[in-house]
Amino acid sequence: MTTAPATTAPVGRTTRVPAYPVLVGIAYGVCVVGMSTSIAAEMVFGYTGSGEQPRSLGEQLAGVVGFGTLALLVSVLSVRLLRSERQRQVGAIVLGIAAVPALAFFWCGMPAILGAAAAALAGLTRGRTPVAGAARVFGLIGLAFAVINPIANFLGVTISWIVTS
């Protein structure tokens, strides 16, 4: 006797992962708003880095806000528009994969924001139905980025302010 594999994970468990809006809000707040505030403060206090700087503070600020907001737009639209289980599975895989090269943009929170969407689409955030298989694996990768990226940004900004003061 053969049976079809289950496509969803058991639903009767509790999770400590917050809901998607909270997870993506924290990532955007820490990585985009926090980093933008730090750059703006550097501009106000007349910070000048040592050595040749590849980008001005104004260009850095535009990059953080632009790329971070683009990631937020992609994330929110993906979570809102991908409704069927198949769409959610594909979306979780695609966004989980996209979060890896987005590490080049860690300073604006792109890996965290895309990762939060991957986790939500995989059903790993509070109030969502979990999926199984590859989508779950990439959702877990996304969840790791959604947690680690804001922590790294916060520590990086905090330590740089402590060291330069």
Side-chain angles (χ1 to χ4, degrees):
M1 169 167 100
T2 61
T3 59
T7 57
T8 59
V11 180
R13 68 186 212 297
T14 60
T15 180
R16 293 178 195 245
V17 178
Y20 166 73
V22 173
L23 193 61
V24 79
I26 290 170
Y28 189 84
V30 170
C31 296
V32 177
V33 176
M35 184 66 80
S36 296
T37 303
S38 176
I39 294 170
E42 290 175 0
M43 294 167 83
V44 168
F45 294 123
Y47 171 80
T48 55
S50 59
E52 183 96 13
Q53 299 296 316
R55 287 172 205 74
S56 71
L57 291 174
E59 291 170 332
Q60 290 176 35
L61 182 60
V64 168
V65 172
F67 285 112
T69 302
L70 173 65
L72 181 65
L73 182 64
V74 169
S75 179
V76 169
L77 287 176
S78 297
V79 170
R80 294 193 119 239
L81 298 177
L82 302 177
R83 293 289 181 186
S84 74
E85 184 171 337
R86 180 72 179 144
Q87 289 173 333
R88 288 178 37 229
Q89 288 175 332
V90 171
I93 292 168
V94 168
L95 290 172
I97 290 171
V100 175
L103 283 169
F105 300 95
F106 76 94
W107 38 265
C108 71
M110 192 176 278
I113 295 167
L114 296 178
L121 292 170
L124 301 176
T125 57
R126 185 163 297 181
R128 300 211 172 243
T129 304
V131 297
R136 185 177 183 90
V137 171
F138 285 102
L140 287 168
I141 291 169
L143 182 59
F145 286 138
V147 171
I148 295 169
N149 189 185
I151 293 170
N153 275 30
F154 178 79
L155 289 174
V157 169
T158 303
I159 291 168
S160 75
W161 276 100
I162 291 170
V163 169
T164 59
S165 9

PDB file of all heavy atoms in Angstrom, residues 39-73:
ATOM      1  N   ILE A  39      23.792  56.867  10.279  1.00  0.00           N
ATOM      2  CA  ILE A  39      24.432  57.614   9.183  1.00  0.00           C
ATOM      3  C   ILE A  39      24.076  59.094   9.274  1.00  0.00           C
ATOM      4  O   ILE A  39      24.939  59.962   9.094  1.00  0.00           O
ATOM      5  CB  ILE A  39      24.034  57.015   7.815  1.00  0.00           C
ATOM      6  CG1 ILE A  39      24.610  55.602   7.668  1.00  0.00           C
ATOM      7  CG2 ILE A  39      24.519  57.907   6.673  1.00  0.00           C
ATOM      8  CD1 ILE A  39      24.072  54.831   6.468  1.00  0.00           C
ATOM      9  N   ALA A  40      22.816  59.393   9.566  1.00  0.00           N
ATOM     10  CA  ALA A  40      22.403  60.796   9.706  1.00  0.00           C
ATOM     11  C   ALA A  40      23.156  61.462  10.860  1.00  0.00           C
ATOM     12  O   ALA A  40      23.578  62.621  10.748  1.00  0.00           O
ATOM     13  CB  ALA A  40      20.896  60.879   9.926  1.00  0.00           C
ATOM     14  N   ALA A  41      23.347  60.744  11.956  1.00  0.00           N
ATOM     15  CA  ALA A  41      24.103  61.292  13.084  1.00  0.00           C
ATOM     16  C   ALA A  41      25.558  61.542  12.689  1.00  0.00           C
ATOM     17  O   ALA A  41      26.146  62.560  13.082  1.00  0.00           O
ATOM     18  CB  ALA A  41      24.033  60.339  14.278  1.00  0.00           C
ATOM     19  N   GLU A  42      26.124  60.652  11.908  1.00  0.00           N
ATOM     20  CA  GLU A  42      27.483  60.861  11.413  1.00  0.00           C
ATOM     21  C   GLU A  42      27.556  62.131  10.568  1.00  0.00           C
ATOM     22  O   GLU A  42      28.526  62.886  10.648  1.00  0.00           O
ATOM     23  CB  GLU A  42      27.951  59.659  10.594  1.00  0.00           C
ATOM     24  CG  GLU A  42      28.210  58.415  11.412  1.00  0.00           C
ATOM     25  CD  GLU A  42      28.552  57.203  10.562  1.00  0.00           C
ATOM     26  OE1 GLU A  42      28.600  57.305   9.317  1.00  0.00           O
ATOM     27  OE2 GLU A  42      28.784  56.131  11.148  1.00  0.00           O
ATOM     28  N   MET A  43      26.517  62.365   9.768  1.00  0.00           N
ATOM     29  CA  MET A  43      26.480  63.565   8.931  1.00  0.00           C
ATOM     30  C   MET A  43      26.373  64.817   9.803  1.00  0.00           C
ATOM     31  O   MET A  43      27.074  65.803   9.570  1.00  0.00           O
ATOM     32  CB  MET A  43      25.310  63.485   7.942  1.00  0.00           C
ATOM     33  CG  MET A  43      25.471  62.384   6.912  1.00  0.00           C
ATOM     34  SD  MET A  43      23.964  62.041   5.994  1.00  0.00           S
ATOM     35  CE  MET A  43      24.057  63.308   4.740  1.00  0.00           C
ATOM     36  N   VAL A  44      25.525  64.768  10.812  1.00  0.00           N
ATOM     37  CA  VAL A  44      25.309  65.916  11.690  1.00  0.00           C
ATOM     38  C   VAL A  44      26.571  66.234  12.488  1.00  0.00           C
ATOM     39  O   VAL A  44      26.941  67.398  12.636  1.00  0.00           O
ATOM     40  CB  VAL A  44      24.114  65.658  12.640  1.00  0.00           C
ATOM     41  CG1 VAL A  44      24.057  66.693  13.753  1.00  0.00           C
ATOM     42  CG2 VAL A  44      22.808  65.634  11.855  1.00  0.00           C
ATOM     43  N   PHE A  45      27.233  65.198  13.005  1.00  0.00           N
ATOM     44  CA  PHE A  45      28.415  65.410  13.838  1.00  0.00           C
ATOM     45  C   PHE A  45      29.705  65.564  13.039  1.00  0.00           C
ATOM     46  O   PHE A  45      30.785  65.669  13.608  1.00  0.00           O
ATOM     47  CB  PHE A  45      28.562  64.277  14.864  1.00  0.00           C
ATOM     48  CG  PHE A  45      27.457  64.246  15.874  1.00  0.00           C
ATOM     49  CD1 PHE A  45      26.683  63.111  16.048  1.00  0.00           C
ATOM     50  CD2 PHE A  45      27.175  65.357  16.662  1.00  0.00           C
ATOM     51  CE1 PHE A  45      25.660  63.077  16.980  1.00  0.00           C
ATOM     52  CE2 PHE A  45      26.155  65.338  17.597  1.00  0.00           C
ATOM     53  CZ  PHE A  45      25.395  64.189  17.755  1.00  0.00           C
ATOM     54  N   GLY A  46      29.592  65.560  11.715  1.00  0.00           N
ATOM     55  CA  GLY A  46      30.759  65.783  10.863  1.00  0.00           C
ATOM     56  C   GLY A  46      31.758  64.648  10.862  1.00  0.00           C
ATOM     57  O   GLY A  46      32.956  64.874  10.757  1.00  0.00           O
ATOM     58  N   TYR A  47      31.273  63.426  10.942  1.00  0.00           N
ATOM     59  CA  TYR A  47      32.156  62.264  10.945  1.00  0.00           C
ATOM     60  C   TYR A  47      32.917  62.179   9.627  1.00  0.00           C
ATOM     61  O   TYR A  47      32.347  62.335   8.552  1.00  0.00           O
ATOM     62  CB  TYR A  47      31.342  60.985  11.152  1.00  0.00           C
ATOM     63  CG  TYR A  47      32.140  59.719  10.946  1.00  0.00           C
ATOM     64  CD1 TYR A  47      32.982  59.238  11.939  1.00  0.00           C
ATOM     65  CD2 TYR A  47      32.056  59.012   9.753  1.00  0.00           C
ATOM     66  CE1 TYR A  47      33.716  58.083  11.757  1.00  0.00           C
ATOM     67  CE2 TYR A  47      32.795  57.852   9.563  1.00  0.00           C
ATOM     68  CZ  TYR A  47      33.615  57.403  10.568  1.00  0.00           C
ATOM     69  OH  TYR A  47      34.342  56.256  10.383  1.00  0.00           O
ATOM     70  N   THR A  48      34.181  61.925   9.717  1.00  0.00           N
ATOM     71  CA  THR A  48      34.982  61.632   8.530  1.00  0.00           C
ATOM     72  C   THR A  48      35.754  60.362   8.810  1.00  0.00           C
ATOM     73  O   THR A  48      36.442  60.239   9.825  1.00  0.00           O
ATOM     74  CB  THR A  48      35.972  62.774   8.204  1.00  0.00           C
ATOM     75  OG1 THR A  48      36.764  63.029   9.353  1.00  0.00           O
ATOM     76  CG2 THR A  48      35.246  64.029   7.783  1.00  0.00           C
ATOM     77  N   GLY A  49      35.605  59.400   7.936  1.00  0.00           N
ATOM     78  CA  GLY A  49      36.294  58.125   8.105  1.00  0.00           C
ATOM     79  C   GLY A  49      37.769  58.258   7.786  1.00  0.00           C
ATOM     80  O   GLY A  49      38.209  59.230   7.179  1.00  0.00           O
ATOM     81  N   SER A  50      38.521  57.275   8.208  1.00  0.00           N
ATOM     82  CA  SER A  50      39.941  57.281   7.897  1.00  0.00           C
ATOM     83  C   SER A  50      40.154  56.609   6.549  1.00  0.00           C
ATOM     84  O   SER A  50      39.516  55.612   6.237  1.00  0.00           O
ATOM     85  CB  SER A  50      40.724  56.548   8.987  1.00  0.00           C
ATOM     86  OG  SER A  50      40.260  55.220   9.103  1.00  0.00           O
ATOM     87  N   GLY A  51      41.012  57.169   5.755  1.00  0.00           N
ATOM     88  CA  GLY A  51      41.303  56.595   4.442  1.00  0.00           C
ATOM     89  C   GLY A  51      40.270  56.974   3.400  1.00  0.00           C
ATOM     90  O   GLY A  51      39.352  57.747   3.638  1.00  0.00           O
ATOM     91  N   GLU A  52      40.448  56.417   2.243  1.00  0.00           N
ATOM     92  CA  GLU A  52      39.564  56.681   1.106  1.00  0.00           C
ATOM     93  C   GLU A  52      38.208  55.995   1.331  1.00  0.00           C
ATOM     94  O   GLU A  52      38.147  54.806   1.623  1.00  0.00           O
ATOM     95  CB  GLU A  52      40.214  56.138  -0.169  1.00  0.00           C
ATOM     96  CG  GLU A  52      39.436  56.425  -1.413  1.00  0.00           C
ATOM     97  CD  GLU A  52      39.936  57.663  -2.129  1.00  0.00           C
ATOM     98  OE1 GLU A  52      41.018  58.160  -1.799  1.00  0.00           O
ATOM     99  OE2 GLU A  52      39.223  58.117  -3.012  1.00  0.00           O
ATOM    100  N   GLN A  53      37.127  56.733   1.192  1.00  0.00           N
ATOM    101  CA  GLN A  53      35.780  56.192   1.365  1.00  0.00           C
ATOM    102  C   GLN A  53      35.164  55.945  -0.017  1.00  0.00           C
ATOM    103  O   GLN A  53      35.146  56.849  -0.847  1.00  0.00           O
ATOM    104  CB  GLN A  53      34.898  57.168   2.153  1.00  0.00           C
ATOM    105  CG  GLN A  53      35.408  57.475   3.554  1.00  0.00           C
ATOM    106  CD  GLN A  53      35.414  56.257   4.444  1.00  0.00           C
ATOM    107  OE1 GLN A  53      34.471  55.479   4.461  1.00  0.00           O
ATOM    108  NE2 GLN A  53      36.493  56.069   5.181  1.00  0.00           N
ATOM    109  N   PRO A  54      34.656  54.734  -0.280  1.00  0.00           N
ATOM    110  CA  PRO A  54      34.092  54.447  -1.596  1.00  0.00           C
ATOM    111  C   PRO A  54      32.787  55.209  -1.874  1.00  0.00           C
ATOM    112  O   PRO A  54      32.455  55.476  -3.013  1.00  0.00           O
ATOM    113  CB  PRO A  54      33.850  52.938  -1.573  1.00  0.00           C
ATOM    114  CG  PRO A  54      33.761  52.585  -0.133  1.00  0.00           C
ATOM    115  CD  PRO A  54      34.608  53.587   0.606  1.00  0.00           C
ATOM    116  N   ARG A  55      32.043  55.550  -0.805  1.00  0.00           N
ATOM    117  CA  ARG A  55      30.772  56.258  -0.963  1.00  0.00           C
ATOM    118  C   ARG A  55      30.677  57.346   0.099  1.00  0.00           C
ATOM    119  O   ARG A  55      31.112  57.164   1.221  1.00  0.00           O
ATOM    120  CB  ARG A  55      29.602  55.300  -0.808  1.00  0.00           C
ATOM    121  CG  ARG A  55      29.423  54.371  -1.974  1.00  0.00           C
ATOM    122  CD  ARG A  55      28.365  53.316  -1.654  1.00  0.00           C
ATOM    123  NE  ARG A  55      28.547  52.113  -2.427  1.00  0.00           N
ATOM    124  CZ  ARG A  55      29.480  51.188  -2.253  1.00  0.00           C
ATOM    125  NH1 ARG A  55      30.329  51.295  -1.277  1.00  0.00           N
ATOM    126  NH2 ARG A  55      29.561  50.137  -3.020  1.00  0.00           N
ATOM    127  N   SER A  56      30.015  58.437  -0.284  1.00  0.00           N
ATOM    128  CA  SER A  56      29.780  59.501   0.691  1.00  0.00           C
ATOM    129  C   SER A  56      28.697  59.045   1.671  1.00  0.00           C
ATOM    130  O   SER A  56      27.971  58.077   1.413  1.00  0.00           O
ATOM    131  CB  SER A  56      29.330  60.771  -0.023  1.00  0.00           C
ATOM    132  OG  SER A  56      28.009  60.599  -0.537  1.00  0.00           O
ATOM    133  N   LEU A  57      28.582  59.757   2.775  1.00  0.00           N
ATOM    134  CA  LEU A  57      27.533  59.424   3.751  1.00  0.00           C
ATOM    135  C   LEU A  57      26.147  59.572   3.134  1.00  0.00           C
ATOM    136  O   LEU A  57      25.246  58.783   3.427  1.00  0.00           O
ATOM    137  CB  LEU A  57      27.682  60.286   5.002  1.00  0.00           C
ATOM    138  CG  LEU A  57      28.906  59.984   5.863  1.00  0.00           C
ATOM    139  CD1 LEU A  57      29.020  60.990   7.001  1.00  0.00           C
ATOM    140  CD2 LEU A  57      28.856  58.570   6.403  1.00  0.00           C
ATOM    141  N   GLY A  58      25.963  60.566   2.280  1.00  0.00           N
ATOM    142  CA  GLY A  58      24.675  60.740   1.604  1.00  0.00           C
ATOM    143  C   GLY A  58      24.345  59.557   0.704  1.00  0.00           C
ATOM    144  O   GLY A  58      23.202  59.089   0.663  1.00  0.00           O
ATOM    145  N   GLU A  59      25.348  59.057  -0.009  1.00  0.00           N
ATOM    146  CA  GLU A  59      25.136  57.884  -0.863  1.00  0.00           C
ATOM    147  C   GLU A  59      24.852  56.643  -0.024  1.00  0.00           C
ATOM    148  O   GLU A  59      24.017  55.813  -0.383  1.00  0.00           O
ATOM    149  CB  GLU A  59      26.362  57.649  -1.749  1.00  0.00           C
ATOM    150  CG  GLU A  59      26.558  58.703  -2.812  1.00  0.00           C
ATOM    151  CD  GLU A  59      27.903  58.600  -3.517  1.00  0.00           C
ATOM    152  OE1 GLU A  59      28.882  58.109  -2.896  1.00  0.00           O
ATOM    153  OE2 GLU A  59      27.971  59.021  -4.677  1.00  0.00           O
ATOM    154  N   GLN A  60      25.549  56.527   1.108  1.00  0.00           N
ATOM    155  CA  GLN A  60      25.295  55.402   2.004  1.00  0.00           C
ATOM    156  C   GLN A  60      23.866  55.439   2.544  1.00  0.00           C
ATOM    157  O   GLN A  60      23.177  54.414   2.589  1.00  0.00           O
ATOM    158  CB  GLN A  60      26.283  55.411   3.164  1.00  0.00           C
ATOM    159  CG  GLN A  60      27.700  55.073   2.769  1.00  0.00           C
ATOM    160  CD  GLN A  60      28.657  55.188   3.937  1.00  0.00           C
ATOM    161  OE1 GLN A  60      28.301  54.885   5.077  1.00  0.00           O
ATOM    162  NE2 GLN A  60      29.875  55.619   3.667  1.00  0.00           N
ATOM    163  N   LEU A  61      23.423  56.616   2.942  1.00  0.00           N
ATOM    164  CA  LEU A  61      22.062  56.780   3.454  1.00  0.00           C
ATOM    165  C   LEU A  61      21.036  56.415   2.389  1.00  0.00           C
ATOM    166  O   LEU A  61      20.072  55.689   2.658  1.00  0.00           O
ATOM    167  CB  LEU A  61      21.846  58.207   3.948  1.00  0.00           C
ATOM    168  CG  LEU A  61      20.481  58.525   4.550  1.00  0.00           C
ATOM    169  CD1 LEU A  61      20.203  57.635   5.760  1.00  0.00           C
ATOM    170  CD2 LEU A  61      20.413  59.991   4.940  1.00  0.00           C
ATOM    171  N   ALA A  62      21.243  56.892   1.162  1.00  0.00           N
ATOM    172  CA  ALA A  62      20.321  56.569   0.062  1.00  0.00           C
ATOM    173  C   ALA A  62      20.308  55.066  -0.200  1.00  0.00           C
ATOM    174  O   ALA A  62      19.240  54.483  -0.448  1.00  0.00           O
ATOM    175  CB  ALA A  62      20.726  57.331  -1.194  1.00  0.00           C
ATOM    176  N   GLY A  63      21.462  54.429  -0.129  1.00  0.00           N
ATOM    177  CA  GLY A  63      21.530  52.988  -0.344  1.00  0.00           C
ATOM    178  C   GLY A  63      20.798  52.195   0.719  1.00  0.00           C
ATOM    179  O   GLY A  63      20.054  51.260   0.416  1.00  0.00           O
ATOM    180  N   VAL A  64      21.001  52.559   1.971  1.00  0.00           N
ATOM    181  CA  VAL A  64      20.331  51.860   3.072  1.00  0.00           C
ATOM    182  C   VAL A  64      18.816  51.990   2.940  1.00  0.00           C
ATOM    183  O   VAL A  64      18.082  51.004   3.004  1.00  0.00           O
ATOM    184  CB  VAL A  64      20.809  52.378   4.445  1.00  0.00           C
ATOM    185  CG1 VAL A  64      19.921  51.872   5.576  1.00  0.00           C
ATOM    186  CG2 VAL A  64      22.243  51.973   4.689  1.00  0.00           C
ATOM    187  N   VAL A  65      18.345  53.214   2.757  1.00  0.00           N
ATOM    188  CA  VAL A  65      16.899  53.439   2.655  1.00  0.00           C
ATOM    189  C   VAL A  65      16.340  52.796   1.386  1.00  0.00           C
ATOM    190  O   VAL A  65      15.312  52.120   1.427  1.00  0.00           O
ATOM    191  CB  VAL A  65      16.581  54.956   2.699  1.00  0.00           C
ATOM    192  CG1 VAL A  65      15.117  55.209   2.405  1.00  0.00           C
ATOM    193  CG2 VAL A  65      16.950  55.529   4.061  1.00  0.00           C
ATOM    194  N   GLY A  66      17.032  52.967   0.271  1.00  0.00           N
ATOM    195  CA  GLY A  66      16.534  52.438  -1.005  1.00  0.00           C
ATOM    196  C   GLY A  66      16.490  50.922  -1.044  1.00  0.00           C
ATOM    197  O   GLY A  66      15.442  50.328  -1.336  1.00  0.00           O
ATOM    198  N   PHE A  67      17.625  50.287  -0.755  1.00  0.00           N
ATOM    199  CA  PHE A  67      17.667  48.824  -0.819  1.00  0.00           C
ATOM    200  C   PHE A  67      16.837  48.181   0.289  1.00  0.00           C
ATOM    201  O   PHE A  67      16.187  47.156   0.073  1.00  0.00           O
ATOM    202  CB  PHE A  67      19.113  48.320  -0.753  1.00  0.00           C
ATOM    203  CG  PHE A  67      19.873  48.523  -2.030  1.00  0.00           C
ATOM    204  CD1 PHE A  67      20.930  49.422  -2.079  1.00  0.00           C
ATOM    205  CD2 PHE A  67      19.548  47.827  -3.188  1.00  0.00           C
ATOM    206  CE1 PHE A  67      21.647  49.617  -3.253  1.00  0.00           C
ATOM    207  CE2 PHE A  67      20.252  48.011  -4.361  1.00  0.00           C
ATOM    208  CZ  PHE A  67      21.301  48.909  -4.401  1.00  0.00           C
ATOM    209  N   GLY A  68      16.841  48.774   1.474  1.00  0.00           N
ATOM    210  CA  GLY A  68      16.032  48.237   2.566  1.00  0.00           C
ATOM    211  C   GLY A  68      14.545  48.325   2.276  1.00  0.00           C
ATOM    212  O   GLY A  68      13.786  47.390   2.535  1.00  0.00           O
ATOM    213  N   THR A  69      14.118  49.446   1.702  1.00  0.00           N
ATOM    214  CA  THR A  69      12.702  49.615   1.380  1.00  0.00           C
ATOM    215  C   THR A  69      12.302  48.731   0.204  1.00  0.00           C
ATOM    216  O   THR A  69      11.193  48.180   0.184  1.00  0.00           O
ATOM    217  CB  THR A  69      12.391  51.098   1.107  1.00  0.00           C
ATOM    218  OG1 THR A  69      12.772  51.849   2.283  1.00  0.00           O
ATOM    219  CG2 THR A  69      10.920  51.324   0.830  1.00  0.00           C
ATOM    220  N   LEU A  70      13.188  48.551  -0.768  1.00  0.00           N
ATOM    221  CA  LEU A  70      12.918  47.627  -1.875  1.00  0.00           C
ATOM    222  C   LEU A  70      12.724  46.211  -1.338  1.00  0.00           C
ATOM    223  O   LEU A  70      11.783  45.511  -1.734  1.00  0.00           O
ATOM    224  CB  LEU A  70      14.063  47.663  -2.891  1.00  0.00           C
ATOM    225  CG  LEU A  70      13.984  46.630  -4.011  1.00  0.00           C
ATOM    226  CD1 LEU A  70      12.770  46.906  -4.903  1.00  0.00           C
ATOM    227  CD2 LEU A  70      15.264  46.630  -4.833  1.00  0.00           C
ATOM    228  N   ALA A  71      13.596  45.784  -0.426  1.00  0.00           N
ATOM    229  CA  ALA A  71      13.459  44.457   0.180  1.00  0.00           C
ATOM    230  C   ALA A  71      12.132  44.338   0.926  1.00  0.00           C
ATOM    231  O   ALA A  71      11.453  43.314   0.839  1.00  0.00           O
ATOM    232  CB  ALA A  71      14.626  44.183   1.126  1.00  0.00           C
ATOM    233  N   LEU A  72      11.748  45.401   1.648  1.00  0.00           N
ATOM    234  CA  LEU A  72      10.476  45.383   2.373  1.00  0.00           C
ATOM    235  C   LEU A  72       9.301  45.252   1.411  1.00  0.00           C
ATOM    236  O   LEU A  72       8.377  44.481   1.659  1.00  0.00           O
ATOM    237  CB  LEU A  72      10.326  46.654   3.223  1.00  0.00           C
ATOM    238  CG  LEU A  72       9.050  46.745   4.050  1.00  0.00           C
ATOM    239  CD1 LEU A  72       9.019  45.650   5.123  1.00  0.00           C
ATOM    240  CD2 LEU A  72       8.932  48.120   4.678  1.00  0.00           C
ATOM    241  N   LEU A  73       9.344  45.967   0.312  1.00  0.00           N
ATOM    242  CA  LEU A  73       8.279  45.897  -0.692  1.00  0.00           C
ATOM    243  C   LEU A  73       8.163  44.487  -1.260  1.00  0.00           C
ATOM    244  O   LEU A  73       7.065  43.925  -1.348  1.00  0.00           O
ATOM    245  CB  LEU A  73       8.546  46.917  -1.794  1.00  0.00           C
ATOM    246  CG  LEU A  73       7.513  47.018  -2.907  1.00  0.00           C
ATOM    247  CD1 LEU A  73       6.183  47.507  -2.354  1.00  0.00           C
ATOM    248  CD2 LEU A  73       8.009  47.965  -3.990  1.00  0.00           C
TER     249      LEU A  73
END
